[in-house]
Amino acid sequence: MGKTILFCKIFVALLFFINCGANLEYPDIDRHSKIPSDVYKRTPATDSFPPILHSNEFEAPVPLGAGVNTAGAEDSPFILPDGNTLYFVFVSDVRLPVEKQLLDSVSGVWVSYKIGDEWTDAERVWLQDPRSIDKHRLLNIILATEDFNNEYLS
């Protein structure tokens, strides 16, 4: 058992040092291609529970176009005071458990900019160094091994 843990620690250390000189470019992700084919986007016309406006101070919701709205789930929108920058959380498939969404490379924060009357294609906002993603996945794999679970979690 001790040799297995020692091997895992050495392996993680080697990956860390190998990645130190790695290219810092973030992956180019097409979020539209990650949406399952059996998922469709609800529009105001197909929404079973459309928003009910209780005030004349607000306008009815309007989809922002293909640059922002997809068949995936866009949530928690936030427009900066300039009125031209929109941040939102995107999840390609809400049926996936949260732990799988964390590792699907597409779920996360996205940003779109308003130019004229159109919103641009959303871009991923990276919140960490791209080299660290694989290290975290590796750590999760190591922690999920049966030996580790039996030795330390039982």
Side-chain angles (χ1 to χ4, degrees):
M1 181 62 189
K3 289 181 182 181
T4 303
I5 292 179
L6 179 61
F7 173 77
C8 290
K9 288 180 181 180
I10 292 170
F11 187 69
V12 169
L14 283 173
L15 278 179
F16 175 77
F17 289 114
I18 289 169
N19 281 335
C20 283
N23 189 351
L24 286 178
E25 290 185 29
Y26 293 99
D28 184 23
I29 297 174
D30 175 18
R31 65 191 180 112
H32 297 275
S33 69
K34 302 285 187 174
I35 300 170
S37 60
D38 64 330
V39 175
Y40 67 95
K41 186 66 172 183
R42 287 191 195 141
T43 64
T46 61
D47 193 344
S48 300
F49 301 100
I52 299 171
L53 301 177
H54 297 283
S55 170
N56 292 333
E57 295 180 32
F58 300 99
E59 296 179 17
V62 177
L64 298 179
V68 175
N69 296 123
T70 68
E74 292 84 23
D75 194 17
S76 305
F78 181 82
I79 297 179
L80 294 184
D82 68 6
N84 297 318
T85 308
L86 169 70
Y87 286 91
F88 59 94
V89 174
F90 173 76
V91 176
S92 62
D93 188 354
V94 296
R95 300 170 296 186
L96 287 175
V98 174
E99 61 273 12
K100 290 191 177 184
Q101 291 175 10
L102 287 172
L103 301 174
D104 72 359
S105 77
V106 70
S107 296
V109 179
W110 291 73
V111 63
S112 179
Y113 303 98
K114 188 175 183 183
I115 299 176
D117 291 335
E118 302 284 324
W119 289 92
T120 62
D121 284 339
E123 304 167 9
R124 178 73 189 266
V125 176
W126 294 98
L127 302 176
Q128 66 181 10
D129 182 326
R131 297 176 301 180
S132 65
I133 294 171
D134 290 334
K135 286 181 255 178
H136 292 301
R137 285 185 183 164
L138 178 63
L139 181 60
N140 285 333
I141 291 168
I142 292 170
L143 293 176
T145 62
E146 189 174 333
D147 289 339
F148 184 88
N149 291 337
N150 289 339
E151 182 71 23
Y152 296 102
L153 300 179
S154 57

